Amino acid sequence: SFYEMYGGRFYDLLNRRQRLQLFEDGKQEMVIQGLTEKPCVSCQELDDMMVFANSARSTHATASNDVSSRSHAICVISLRDQSGTLCGKLTLVDLAGSERAIDYKSHNRQRRLEGSEINKSLLALKECIRAMG
């Protein structure tokens, strides 16, 4: 599976950026409703899927970067044996870059709002990591 968080919302990058719903289940675990999982049987298939998903990410030009990712992207690779039993899971996270306020002067209102959202989410992530010790 491969999805992004953009503007406080979640989108499936393997399913035409379909909007996803998140909720907490009875075990107090987060569940992403409607998230696409695509099987890959070779490294080439996995690479192709990741390139496809990355091409669907939200990007815009900024003062520092012509193609700046404006979202956090999460790729979850689930390893299963031949019977389908889950053997392991690898989660890859590509965070949107933090934005410097000085760079906002040349941006339009939308880029400034995106930068603000990115910085708030990075701050929340920092606090989560700090809480883990």
Side-chain angles (χ1 to χ4, degrees):
S1 58
F2 208 135
Y3 58 100
E4 76 173 344
M5 183 179 117
Y6 174 70
R9 295 189 173 116
F10 292 82
Y11 299 93
D12 191 335
L13 296 176
L14 296 177
N15 187 15
R16 298 181 310 260
R17 295 186 42 80
Q18 183 73 32
R19 188 160 171 204
L20 300 167
Q21 298 296 318
L22 275 68
F23 62 92
E24 192 173 327
D25 67 8
K27 300 176 200 171
Q28 296 182 328
E29 294 179 7
M30 295 306 295
V31 176
I32 304 172
Q33 188 174 20
L35 183 61
T36 302
E37 289 188 6
K38 293 213 177 191
C40 296
V41 294
S42 70
C43 292
Q44 185 60 53
E45 277 186 278
L46 178 61
D47 185 56
D48 291 346
M49 184 215 42
M50 292 175 80
V51 168
F52 173 80
N54 264 316
S55 71
R57 282 186 73 184
S58 298
T59 61
H60 293 288
T62 66
S64 336
N65 189 348
D66 288 340
V67 185
S68 177
S69 59
R70 311 308 292 159
S71 66
H72 304 311
I74 300 96
C75 175
V76 179
I77 302 170
S78 299
L79 303 174
R80 300 182 186 279
D81 64 18
Q82 292 191 353
S83 69
T85 303
L86 184 65
C87 299
K89 193 179 276 193
L90 175 66
T91 303
L92 305 172
V93 180
D94 182 18
L95 299 173
S98 63
E99 298 290 325
R100 298 179 324 152
I102 190 112
D103 293 335
Y104 288 159
K105 292 178 182 173
S106 62
H107 295 174
N108 63 30
R109 184 175 189 279
Q110 182 63 32
R111 297 296 85 76
R112 287 192 304 271
L113 289 172
E114 286 173 350
S116 176
E117 286 294 319
I118 289 168
N119 287 343
K120 282 194 287 188
S121 63
L122 290 172
L123 179 59
L125 177 62
K126 179 183 86 170
E127 293 305 317
C128 291
I129 293 168
R130 183 176 287 159
M132 289 189 292

